């Protein structure tokens, strides 16, 4: 495998190759690929987001972040239907990401749940036909992040223009990489097959309803940085295949948030002030080596807390991150349990009884 191809691989794949290597030189080759891959992604992210933020305003940085993540994901993961419908779906997804979060900021509380549910459910239906490929987590992150950072007036106009630029970039990548995929499959073909007895569609419904409820609660009760609650809840519910139990990820998220927040706190105190702006990129670099959900959760705290510290101070940001995470995953755990026992068991087909081989007579 040449070095360029190695750079395209996910860290999990690279680690499997490292484990299979027989020589130290081969291991070093793949470790180098992983390190350079991580550095390139972080470096490109800084340049890409900085340029778009400079052109369209700092208040639209959240959309620039979302577009960067979409751009990386869309190279490898398509929408599972023909390119014509996929390009229309991409435009619809970006329209939802711009319009729904800004509308939620001005609508009365009674309309928040219907708005979030309709918008987020539609977003999942058009982008996530194979959740195991990561689109569910990607687009839920974008929706929650933008809901926590709405804009209005001139900034909203600039956000629409940025979305147009993002559409041209992501659409070009989508066309170049996936135009020959699923040529005969139309979006409406997939929608005709929608059944709540299908675990995929049940997962979409649970994800949309749970995230819409937690976001609405955060907005109605004016929870500080409520999008952190949304991230935690969405991460819990995004696990696929569908399962009625989310307890394992519940504890992993809490442990990861505690470890990441405390590590950030300690590192912030012992390092010089000039180093503090680098803590977010440092977390991003380390993420490039991670395959475990707990470690990813911990390192994601660095970027979030770097921004939060400027708003709430170090101690306030750390406590808020932990509190919002606990609230989000607790809500997600309770919701997932109720959803499974009150709804999912009615729709999912009963498991087939296991047949045992007949025992010979003695």
């Amino acid at each position: 495998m040449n070095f360029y191809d190695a750079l395209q691989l996910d860290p999990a794949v690279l680690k499997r190759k490292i484990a299979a290597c027989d020589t130290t030189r081969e291991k070093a080759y793949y470790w180098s690929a992983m390190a350079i891959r991580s550095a390139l992604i972080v470096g490109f992210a800084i340049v890409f987001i900085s340029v778009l933020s400079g052109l369209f305003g700092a208040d639209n940085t959240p959309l620039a972040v979302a577009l960067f993540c979409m751009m990386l994901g869309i190279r490898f993961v398509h929408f599972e239907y023909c390119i014509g419908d996929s390009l229309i779906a991409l435009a619809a997804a970006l329209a939802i990401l711009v319009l729904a979060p800004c509308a939620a900021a001005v609508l009365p509380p009674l309309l928040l749940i219907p708005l979030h549910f309709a918008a987020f459910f539609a977003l999942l239906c058009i982008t996530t036909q194979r959740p195991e490929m990561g689109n569910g987590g990607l687009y839920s992150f974008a929706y929650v992040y933008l809901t926590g950072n709405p804009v209005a007036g001139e900034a909203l106009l600039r956000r629409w223009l940025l979305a147009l630029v993002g559409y041209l970039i992501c659409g070009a990548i989508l066309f170049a990489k996936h135009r020959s995929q699923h040529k005969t499959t139309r979006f409406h073909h997939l929608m005709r097959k929608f059944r709540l007895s299908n675990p995929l569609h049940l997962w979409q419904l649970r994800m949309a309803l749970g995230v819409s409820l937690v976001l609405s609660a955060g907005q109605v009760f004016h929870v500080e940085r409520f999008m952190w609650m949304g991230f935690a809840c969405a991460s819990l519910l995004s696990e696929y295949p569908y399962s009625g139990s989310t307890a394992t990820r519940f504890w992993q998220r809490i442990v990861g948030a505690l470890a990441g927040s405390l590590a950030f706190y300690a590192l912030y105190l012992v390092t010089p002030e000039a180093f503090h702006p680098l803590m977010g990129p440092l977390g991003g670099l380390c993420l490039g080596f991670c395959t475990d959900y707990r470690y990813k959760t911990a390192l994601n705290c660095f970027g979030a807390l770097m921004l939060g510290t400027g708003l709430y101070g170090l101690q306030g940001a750390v406590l808020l991150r932990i509190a919002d995470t606990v609230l989000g995953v607790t809500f997600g755990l309770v919701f997932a349990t109720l959803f499974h026992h009150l709804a999912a068991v009615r729709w999912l087909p009963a498991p087939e009884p296991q047949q045992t081989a007949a025992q010979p007579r003695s």
Side-chain angles (χ1 to χ4, degrees), residues 98-118:
V98 172
L99 185 59
C102 296
V106 297
L107 286 179
L110 287 176
L111 296 180
L112 287 177
I113 294 176
L115 170 69
H116 283 312
F117 175 75

Side-chain angles (χ1 to χ4, degrees), residues 236 239 243-254 329 332-333 336-337:
L236 196 75
E239 189 174 15
S243 171
S245 174
T246 55
T248 300
R249 184 163 280 206
F250 169 84
W251 290 112
Q252 288 177 337
R253 185 78 185 192
I254 289 180
V329 293
L333 180 69
T337 302

Side-chain angles (χ1 to χ4, degrees), residues 191-346:
M191 290 299 97
R192 286 176 182 172
K193 298 178 181 178
F194 187 90
R195 301 288 187 277
L196 289 177
S197 57
N198 184 324
L200 164 64
H201 302 143
L202 195 64
W203 175 89
Q204 291 172 333
L205 177 64
R206 185 184 72 171
M207 181 81 164
L209 185 57
V211 171
S212 63
L213 287 172
V214 77
L215 289 179
S216 299
Q219 289 178 284
V220 169
F221 294 108
H222 304 289
V223 177
E224 287 290 337
R225 216 67 176 168
F226 69 88
M227 66 180 182
W228 287 350
M229 285 174 52
F231 290 146
C233 180
S235 178
L236 196 75
L237 299 178
S238 67
E239 189 174 15
Y240 191 82
Y242 174 87
S243 171
S245 174
T246 55
T248 300
R249 184 163 280 206
F250 169 84
W251 290 112
Q252 288 177 337
R253 185 78 185 192
I254 289 180
V255 170
L258 280 170
S261 298
L262 294 177
F264 179 89
Y265 184 84
L267 194 60
Y268 195 94
L269 290 178
V270 301
T271 54
E273 187 175 350
F275 178 78
H276 294 166
L278 300 177
M279 292 178 68
L282 174 64
L285 281 171
C286 294
L287 271 173
F289 295 87
C290 284
T291 56
D292 188 281
Y293 176 74
R294 292 166 297 179
Y295 298 140
K296 290 180 179 179
T297 298
L299 290 169
N300 276 327
C301 291
F302 277 57
L305 288 172
M306 184 182 72
L307 297 175
T309 299
L311 298 172
Y312 306 104
L314 176 61
Q315 185 173 342
V318 168
L319 292 175
L320 187 60
R321 178 71 175 186
I322 295 171
D324 279 350
T325 297
V326 172
L327 286 173
V329 293
T330 301
F331 180 93
L333 180 69
V334 173
F335 169 78
T337 302
L338 292 175
F339 181 88
H340 184 73
H341 290 288
L342 297 179
V345 293
R346 301 173 184 269

Side-chain angles (χ1 to χ4, degrees), residues 26-46:
E26 287 179 303
K27 292 179 184 290
Y29 179 82
Y30 287 115
W31 277 117
S32 299
M34 196 183 305
I36 293 174
R37 173 187 179 275
S38 181
L40 288 174
I41 290 175
V42 171
F44 183 48
I46 292 172

